[in-house]
Amino acid sequence: MDQIVRYFFDFPLMADYWPDILKGFLITVEMSVLTVVIGIPLGLLIAIIRLYGIKPLNALIIFYIDFFRSIPQLVLIVLAYFALPHLGLILDPFTATVVALAIVLSAFAEEIFWAGINAVHKGQWEAGRSTGLGFTQTLAYIILPQVVRISIPPLTNRAIGISKGTTLGSVIAVPELLSVTSSIQSNVANPTALTVGALLFLALFLPFVRFTRWLEQAYAHPRS
Amino acid sequence: MIAQDSIGPNGDGDIVVIDGLRKSYGAVEVLRGIDLKVKKGDAVVIVGSSGSGKSTCLRCINRLEEPTSGRIVVGGHEATGKNVDLNALRRRIGMVFQSINLYPHKTALGNVTLALRKVIGLSKAEADAKALKHLELVGLAHKADSYPAQLSGGQQQRVGIARAMALEPQVMLFDEPTSALDPELVGEVLNVMVRTKELGMTMIVVTHEMQFARDVADRVVFMDHGSVLAQGTPEEILVSPQNPRIREFVTRTKS
């Protein structure tokens, strides 16, 4: 027991490192928030475009979704950072990581929204259209509010899963939380830094999960 | 094909004129040339076996189904053809569905006001007032703030009728409005439909409620295998039918 405390909970040992840890934490928060804020609306936008059924565009969309859902995030981050400069697009490590993760999230989010759109009974479309509402109006006022509600739980899962991919930014030297805490671990030869990192990840994602539960409630409509 | 001007806008007081309507799904022809005229203020009830094309015929009128050929005129306006403004057409045609299709995320009031606001362009206050008036007509003003899931099936369908009626359509289409309801809830919906007719609304009703057809219909249309087999007064079609196929149907639906 003493050993566990000494190895994993030796907080005084961290004294010199708190500023670095805090900086790493803030970078992780920023990357996670940006990934979600870009990835989910982009996914919704793609799902809506797909709904208009423009054939060549839809083939492209389906390729995009399948490709970015299949490719490992790590590879994508490395490609964004090392390969894009050859195409004339130079991204800093932070941006490269966020872009890669947001694209992956958008692909998953699109599929979730698409499934949600298909889960809404077609009678809802007919009811809206039969009153003279246009396609886009019916989508905006009748279909999407129902889609968003049923999509929140699976979106939450995906958003958390992919936001945790921010740790992969360490491979291109983004000084995010896990990369900072693991180098501290090597410096002081004690894994307490990782404990701190883990606790901070909890501190980041638990409120996020609580927030989405609140969102679910806010979008709920009485069932009986 | 009859000439363009022989149908004429409101020429004979016909609100709906269907002429040679055909509809195929691939090789299967579900409507084989339907001719039908509905006078302003009349209630026309379409009866027939399942699969006879009743609902498809109804759904062609507001173009929820795309006719393969034929012509439909509603209130003097062409309903068929490429250049028809579908939203404007549908705004003049009310529809009530078998599956009711209330918007689950909106209150009864919200269900009725949506199109009033977004299609007609009424202000919130105007739309609310008009919606309440129509909820009153179906006896549900006190449920204005209830969500569909908090209403019985019969109440939901009455809201569905209010939603369509609030747009003050030229004709109301009822597509088996009571078929999905528990038997004890059918009566309240039929009563609202009777009141709708009393308000002078033109109605085309697809239903299996033979009592309603006998009591309320000005005309009964019997459809069979995608064609109109006969049409006439409820007495002619449902009480003493001449056609053996209809006689058989009537005997089977008497229970």
Side-chain angles (χ1 to χ4, degrees):
Chain A
M1 191 65 200
D2 273 1
Q3 264 192 339
I4 292 180
V5 171
R6 189 142 38 86
Y7 282 131
F8 290 97
F9 299 97
D10 190 355
F11 294 116
L13 199 60
M14 294 295 109
D16 294 339
Y17 296 103
W18 288 119
D20 290 344
I21 292 174
L22 184 67
K23 245 185 258 168
F25 178 63
L26 288 180
I27 288 176
T28 294
V29 171
E30 278 179 64
M31 287 204 296
S32 303
V33 169
L34 283 172
T35 299
V36 171
V37 168
I38 298 169
I40 288 180
L42 183 60
L44 180 59
L45 183 70
I46 298 171
I48 290 171
I49 294 172
R50 185 175 173 189
L51 200 53
Y52 283 84
I54 305 158
K55 282 227 172 77
L57 206 55
N58 278 12
L60 202 68
I61 286 172
I62 286 164
F63 176 76
Y64 173 96
I65 295 159
D66 291 351
F67 182 81
F68 288 114
R69 286 192 305 162
S70 310
I71 195 167
Q73 294 162 32
L74 182 67
V75 177
L76 204 58
I77 290 169
V78 169
L79 282 177
Y81 186 60
F82 291 109
L84 284 183
H86 295 292
L87 301 172
L89 188 61
I90 298 170
L91 302 177
D92 61 70
F94 178 95
T95 312
T97 307
V98 168
V99 165
L101 293 178
I103 285 176
V104 172
L105 181 55
S106 76
F108 279 103
E110 192 281 344
E111 274 303 278
I112 291 168
F113 284 124
W114 186 251
I117 289 169
N118 284 304
V120 174
H121 192 271
K122 89 175 184 1
Q124 292 288 310
W125 283 98
E126 292 186 346
R129 299 306 303 275
S130 76
T131 59
L133 289 167
F135 179 88
T136 307
Q137 286 179 313
T138 304
L139 181 65
Y141 301 123
I142 299 169
I143 307 301
L144 286 184
Q146 301 182 52
V147 169
V148 168
R149 192 182 64 81
I150 54 181
S151 301
I152 289 172
L155 277 176
T156 307
N157 284 341
R158 269 304 157 190
I160 291 172
I162 290 169
S163 294
K164 280 195 281 192
T166 52
T167 54
L168 297 170
S170 58
V171 297
I172 53 171
V174 178
E176 49 73 42
L177 183 57
L178 195 70
S179 126
V180 170
T181 49
S182 25
S183 57
I184 296 171
Q185 176 198 223
S186 331
N187 287 350
V188 301
N190 181 298
T192 298
L194 289 182
T195 309
V196 172
L199 290 173
L200 287 173
F201 266 102
L202 284 175
L204 171 59
F205 285 113
L206 281 180
F208 179 69
V209 175
R210 299 304 308 175
F211 168 71
T212 57
R213 289 214 190 287
W214 173 84
L215 211 59
E216 263 177 75
Q217 301 269 311
Y219 267 95
H221 42 77
R223 295 203 142 278
S224 59
Chain B
M1 205 70 199
I2 52 178
Q4 188 92 4
D5 55 4
S6 70
I7 290 180
N10 290 329
D12 312 313
D14 292 324
I15 285 278
V16 178
V17 180
I18 301 175
D19 176 34
L21 175 64
R22 288 176 178 275
K23 169 72 183 171
S24 302
Y25 295 104
V28 184
E29 194 170 41
V30 291
L31 295 179
R32 304 159 187 252
I34 304 287
D35 299 312
L36 195 64
K37 287 184 181 182
V38 181
K39 276 196 178 47
K40 188 169 166 29
D42 269 7
V44 170
V45 173
I46 305 177
V47 299
S49 309
S50 296
S52 59
K54 311 182 294 287
S55 286
T56 307
C57 177
L58 204 65
R59 290 162 58 84
C60 281
I61 297 174
N62 68 352
R63 300 276 296 274
L64 285 182
E65 298 288 344
E66 203 48 43
T68 306
S69 67
R71 185 163 172 235
I72 300 172
V73 178
V74 179
H77 297 271
E78 286 287 340
T80 39
K82 283 219 181 316
N83 299 321
V84 172
D85 179 347
L86 283 183
N87 296 335
L89 171 77
R90 288 169 178 159
R91 187 223 148 294
R92 295 185 283 108
I93 303 174
M95 184 147 200
V96 175
F97 299 88
Q98 178 177 1
S99 49
I100 305 175
N101 300 336
L102 290 190
Y103 316 133
H105 60 299
K106 292 196 175 291
T107 60
L109 189 73
N111 266 271
V112 183
T113 54
L114 181 63
L116 290 175
R117 300 209 54 198
K118 304 300 176 186
V119 178
I120 312 285
L122 297 186
S123 71
K124 182 168 170 11
E126 291 168 326
D128 284 356
K130 192 163 204 180
L132 267 176
K133 194 186 99 191
H134 282 89
L135 284 175
E136 183 79 59
L137 284 174
V138 300
L140 286 173
H142 63 294
K143 294 286 187 186
D145 295 325
S146 299
Y147 283 86
Q150 297 167 320
L151 301 173
S152 73
Q155 291 172 329
Q156 287 184 33
Q157 192 58 294
R158 284 149 66 193
V159 174
I161 295 172
R163 176 172 69 183
M165 286 287 286
L167 292 163
E168 294 170 356
Q170 292 176 312
V171 56
M172 286 278 291
L173 311 177
F174 292 85
D175 188 7
E176 303 201 28
T178 59
S179 297
L181 299 179
D182 291 339
E184 75 267 29
L185 302 177
V186 168
E188 59 182 276
V189 172
L190 295 180
N191 285 339
V192 167
M193 290 167 66
V194 170
R195 215 172 310 155
T196 306
K197 158 91 167 123
E198 287 165 358
L199 289 170
M201 181 55 65
T202 310
M203 300 162 62
I204 307 178
V205 183
V206 170
T207 187
H208 294 288
E209 296 293 331
M210 292 305 141
Q211 189 64 47
F212 176 84
R214 276 193 293 271
D215 296 346
V216 181
D218 294 291
R219 208 143 44 84
V220 175
V221 174
F222 188 94
M223 279 185 69
D224 192 42
H225 292 102
S227 305
V228 173
L229 204 56
Q231 50 178 307
T233 63
E235 162 71 25
E236 289 165 346
I237 304 298
L238 297 176
V239 182
S240 46
Q242 301 303 304
N243 186 301
R245 168 76 190 92
I246 301 176
R247 242 194 328 258
E248 181 204 340
F249 176 85
V250 169
T251 315
R252 273 192 293 115
T253 52
K254 262 187 202 138
S255 53

